[in-house]
Every structure is written in structure tokens, then in C-alpha cells.
Amino acid sequence: MTAPTPLDQALPATSGTDEPPDLRPPSSWKLVWRDRRARAGAVVILLFALVALLAPLIAPYHPLERLVGPDGDLLRLQPPSLEHPFGTSNYGRDLFSQAIWGTRRTLQVGVIAAVVAVVIGTNIGLIAGFAGGWVEQVLMRLNDAALALPFVPLAIVLIGTLGRSDVVLIIAIALVFWRIPARVVRAEVLVLKELGFVRAATCGGATRRRILYRQIAPNILPYAFLYGMLLTAEAVIAEATLSFLGFAPRDALSLGTIMFDAFSSQQIRQAWWWPLFPGLMIMAFVVAVSLLSEAYERLLSLEGVDR
Amino acid sequence: MNLLNYAVKRLGFMLATLLGVVTFTFVLVRAAGDPDQVMIGPDLDPSVRETLREAYGLDESLFTQYVKFIGNAATGDLGTSFQYRAPVADVLGEKLVNTLLLLLPALALGMGLGMVLGVLAGAFWGRPLDAVITRFALLVRAAPLFWVATLVLLLFSYTLGWFPSGGMFDPGSGAGESFTARVLSLEFLRRLVLPLGVTVLLIMVWPLLTMRTAMLDVMKQDFMQVLEAAGMSRTRILFRHGARNALLPVVSLMPSMIGFLVGGQVVVETVFSWPGMGRELVASVDAFDYPVLQGGFLLTATVVIVVGVLADIAYAYLDPRVRLT
């Protein structure tokens, strides 16, 4: 055995076992989990994910089935009851089942759009921060210009000319929302690229691409993750808003289209429950995301990125 | 860098962005398919078709069309509406007035209310008043706007019957009266209340949360304690001296807020059947009125860009430090 170094002495005693002490900092998830509010957010998000995944198993009825009561009448506009917790629509459809299926689509579009926006934004931020010079100038001016794209009108004009489809919706979301992660990632890269390990890699003869994607990129992953979460919430609201305005694909069923049906059927005068519950669900999801991401963001700003 | 240089630089950026948006719109027009097919229809007699192609300038090269498109957009010529058979600029101009009748009072009220509540929340940081105000703001932010608007309509119009459910005017009334007289009527104000209220709610959250955070910094500064020691009333300290120093971040908020606001306006106008730009934009999709759709987008984006750059310049005027970067 070698003589104890100052570092060894600074470490806690291992109380006689041969096991080396676990010196790794607790994972960021463990730290986030200690926050009560973040925990609540994580549980709610998990619940939504489960509902979306298991929709066919949970939904008590087919979302489009026209339900008939024991007396043979269509169950039109029934207020919430144990049998139909969210009530029924003017066609006698079970709104609880619709909300469950709608959650599936809403989350699908939300997550895909957020991932696309974050992947684009992160890469642009990485390249802008690392390349510098005119590349950075051009990309950052583009970033400024993206601020000028008002999301709803942009989405309407895209859907109006290219047609109603999820792809167009996702393009619209990505076009507007890539700018925020790009900006943050670039700022982070500017700091990272001056650090020792990057210089070491440069001296070791690593290619620029390798340095960017192997050395630098892993360090900004927490930010990509944070903005992935935040943008999912944004995208969920965006999808719901456009669906409410009547721009969802024709046969789509999402939390937004349920509220579109409610509004456009002009039945909300009688059926307050129809638009109420899908909106509450969206709100619950958005609040849950912000609780979790706030805790995660606090952690990132406290620790900086693990370097 | 002095203010003038900064302003010129920002205005240059503004022009470049405007050109970008016009180009984007032009590409979109072409991406929608051959305008020839979309606008004229494939089944026409070839000679009629040729005449129409010439009338619309479709016989010229793509580049010539592009240049003309930019020239027309710059001079406010946005083409002719398919459904109204009138210049798009006239159609949209009329709707824009209606939108501003709703938006400008909402902006004034929303910014004012938001700033006052933000100052209060910041001054009482961590106490019950702050908790109530902030939770309320965060809930408003998390709720989809169209849903809030729908519930407001449901509650105050359908259930309580306090306000009419939509539109700017009573359909039967006002024949022969001038537009100004009708706008100043009580009937109009009654119809304004609900959409105005929802828009104010949408707007006030922004300055509120920003002001709250900014106030936290201001409250810590020495001059605030000096004023208190000098015996000045707390209200006066907060609103005359404190709030003034927390205003800057609110100005820097404008560029991102205006784009968001324009989207909110589309939703509010749709729910409350307000005959403004936003509602027209939505309607133009169903009517396949491409010139109105694209002109509406162009106009909206232009407003967002111009307001954003003006806010940038105002910010640089108020805080000389930003001119350095």
C-alpha cells in the first residue's frame, strides 16, 4: 500500500470494510426526487404517460361509440356520473373514454414535436457556440429572427396552405420553439470549449466533430433534457390550441379536438362538463411539467453542468 | 456604440427579417402547388387560361414574380381576396381596426394591472399576498387560453346571462349610425367586457411575474432603506421609486410577448366571435382564401417584428449598457 495522500485523508473513513466508499455524487434524479413538489410533478407526468400507453385497456368505451340507455334512447349530453365520469357528448359518446384516447394523441404530438425542436435547437446551439465566426453570426441572427414568428398565425398559414396534418403541425412547432434551447446551449458551449478537457482532446489530436459530439455534447445533455420537458408542455398547449381552432386532421381525437367538438356543436350552453375536463387535464399536465422542470433547473443552476 | 448606431443596426436587422418573412410567404405560396392550379382551376379553356395566367403574372419567370411579390408587399398591395372580391389590404384593414379596439385597451389595462400586482408580489415576497398573486398567475399561464375563454363565456354569458355571448354589435341595431357612434355605444362596451377581460388576463401575467422578480433585487438596494428611514410612505416608496427601477425587464419582455399576444388574439376573437384579424385568419382557411390567409400572416408578422425592434431600441435608450454588446 502506498502512503496516504492528502486526498485520501480528506475522505470519510471506510469503517473497516474493504468496500471503497461510494464517492459519486447522488444522481440528479435522486436530488430532484427529494423535492416534494418535483415528486408530485413526476408522479402526475408518469400517470399521464401510463394513461397514454394503456389507453385501449383503460378506456371503458370506444371513444366514438354512440351509447344507448336501457330505455333505448341515445345517452345524449348526460352530466358526469359514476358511469360516465366526464359526462357524454351530444352524440352519446363517453367523454371519459374520449379524454383517455385524446391524451394518447396529445402526448404523442407533444413529445415528438418537442424532441424535434430540441434536437434541432441543440445542434444549432452546439455548432454556433463551437464554430464561432460567421457561422455563429448567421445562426444567431436566425435565432433572433425566429422570435418574430408568431406561433399561432404561422401554424395557421402553414396548415392552410399545406393541409391539415401532424407533420405540418410539428414543423410549425419546431420552427418557432428551436430558438430557446439553441440560445442556452450556445451559451453553455462557449464556456465548455475553454475548459481543460476540451483542450486535452484537442492536443490529443481529436477531430473537431469528435470534440463537439463526444466531449462537449454530453455535458449539455441535461439542458437538452430540461428543454425537452418544457417544450413538451408548450407543444401540448400548441396542439390543443390549433385543434380547438379546427386545424386538427379530420379523424384525429385529442384533448384539443374534444373541446373543438364541444365549442363547434354549440352545446356548451347545456353541457358545461364537455369542455371542462379536457382543459383541466391539460392544465394538470402543464403544472406537473413546470413543477418537475423547476426543480431540475434549480439543480442545474446550483451544480452547473457536471464538470 | 451610441444609440443612433445601435438603432440603425437594429433597423437593418428588422428589414432583413421582414425580407425573410416575405420570402417565406412567397415560398409557401409556391409550395401550396402551382398557383395556376390552385387559383385558376385546371378545367378552363387553354386560351382563357393563358389570359388569366398573364393577368396574374404567372407567365413570368419565378424570379420576376418574386421581385414583384416583394414590391407589392412593400407597397401594401397584398392581392385580391377570393371570397370578398376586394383588395386584401382593405379587408384586413377593416378587421385590424376591430382587433385594435379590443387589443389596445387590453394592453393598457393588462400591463397596468400586471405591473401593480407584480410590485405587490415582489414587495411581499414569500408572504401570503405574494403566494396568492403568484399562484394565480402561474395557473393562468398553465391553462390553455381557449379553455379559459370558453369557460368565461359559459359562466358569464350562458349561465349568469350578464353579457352577450359574442360579436361586436347587436345584429339588428345601429343601422344608419356611423362606426364611431356605434363603438361609443353602451351596447359595444357590454360586448367588449368578456373578450377584454380574457385578453387582460393573458397579458397581465407577463409583466406580473417579471416585475415580481425584478422587485426582489430592487428591494435589497440601499436607496430603498434610505427612503424608508427618511419617513416616506411605503406606497410611495414602492410605486414611485421601487417600481421605476423594476420596469426595465418589462420592456425587454415586449418582443417575445407580442408574438404570443397575437396568437392569443386569434383564440379570443374566435371564442367571442369578434370580427377581427385573428378570426379572419381562421376563417380564410376554411374559405380557401389564400390571399387573405397569406396577407394576414404577413401583416401579423410585420407587426411583431416592428414592435420587437422598437422595444429593443427603447430598451437601449433606457439602459445604455446593452448598446455595448
Side-chain angles (χ1 to χ4, degrees), chain B residues 194-214:
Chain B
L194 292 186
L196 183 78
V198 173
T199 316
V200 166
L201 215 56
L202 166 77
I203 295 173
M204 66 179 238
V205 174
W206 291 69
L208 193 161
L209 293 173
T210 315
M211 216 52 182
R212 171 176 179 260
T213 322

Side-chain angles (χ1 to χ4, degrees), chain A residues 144 148 161 244 268-269 275-276, chain B residues 13 146-147 154 158 294 305:
Chain A
D144 281 348
T161 29
F244 175 79
I268 58 169
R269 196 180 280 270
L276 181 70
Chain B
F13 168 75
F146 67 86
W147 180 68
L154 189 63
Y158 293 158
Q294 282 139 5
I305 293 167

Side-chain angles (χ1 to χ4, degrees), chain A residues 144-145 148 152-154 156-158 160-161 164 240-241 244-245 247 259 263 268-269 272 275-276 279-280 282-283 286-287, chain B residues 13 17 24 28 32 139 142-144 146-147 150 154 158 255-256 259 262-263 267 270-271 285-286 290 293-294 297 304-305:
Chain A
D144 281 348
V152 174
L154 176 78
I156 292 177
V157 80
L158 280 175
T161 29
R164 293 170 162 80
T241 302
F244 175 79
L245 292 172
F247 296 124
M259 290 184 270
F263 189 76
I268 58 169
R269 196 180 280 270
W272 52 267
L276 181 70
L280 279 178
I282 291 179
M283 205 159 128
V286 173
V287 169
Chain B
F13 168 75
T17 316
F24 175 82
L28 208 58
L139 275 186
F146 67 86
W147 180 68
T150 308
L154 189 63
Y158 293 158
S256 41
V262 160
V267 169
T270 303
V271 173
V285 175
D286 291 322
Y290 295 106
L293 174 64
Q294 282 139 5
F297 170 71
V304 173
I305 293 167

Side-chain angles (χ1 to χ4, degrees), chain B residues 46-234:
Chain B
S47 67
V48 180
R49 194 190 173 102
E50 207 43 50
T51 326
L52 281 171
R53 279 181 71 90
E54 271 173 40
Y56 282 112
L58 290 174
D59 52 337
E60 291 170 283
S61 78
L62 210 55
F63 183 73
T64 318
Q65 289 184 42
Y66 173 59
V67 173
K68 277 196 176 164
F69 188 82
I70 294 174
N72 288 343
T75 51
D77 178 1
L78 298 169
T80 308
S81 158
F82 291 172
Q83 42 172 344
Y84 302 105
R85 308 262 162 220
V88 171
D90 294 357
V91 173
L92 290 177
E94 192 188 313
K95 305 289 177 189
L96 185 62
V97 172
N98 296 343
T99 292
L100 292 179
L101 279 174
L102 174 57
L103 193 55
L104 292 181
L107 207 54
L109 273 176
M111 291 303 278
L113 206 60
M115 284 196 264
V116 170
L117 289 178
V119 168
L120 287 176
F124 291 90
W125 188 281
R127 296 206 238 142
L129 182 68
D130 171 43
V132 169
I133 294 177
T134 311
R135 291 229 172 97
F136 172 73
L138 290 175
L139 275 186
V140 170
R141 186 169 261 198
L145 178 71
F146 67 86
W147 180 68
V148 174
T150 308
L151 292 189
V152 164
L153 182 70
L154 189 63
L155 180 63
F156 292 103
S157 181
Y158 293 158
T159 308
L160 297 173
W162 290 353
F163 300 99
S165 64
M168 271 173 71
F169 303 111
D170 189 10
S173 78
E177 285 179 56
S178 75
F179 185 73
T180 328
R182 297 184 76 186
V183 164
L184 292 175
S185 70
L186 206 64
E187 177 62 24
F188 174 78
L189 288 182
R190 254 166 58 85
R191 283 166 187 273
L192 184 66
V193 172
L194 292 186
L196 183 78
V198 173
T199 316
V200 166
L201 215 56
L202 166 77
I203 295 173
M204 66 179 238
V205 174
W206 291 69
L208 193 161
L209 293 173
T210 315
M211 216 52 182
R212 171 176 179 260
T213 322
M215 276 305 279
L216 192 65
D217 281 341
V218 174
M219 295 298 283
K220 283 186 201 137
Q221 290 181 18
D222 294 342
F223 75 88
M224 294 294 277
Q225 282 173 26
V226 171
L227 291 173
E228 199 163 348
M232 190 182 276
S233 83
R234 198 161 161 74

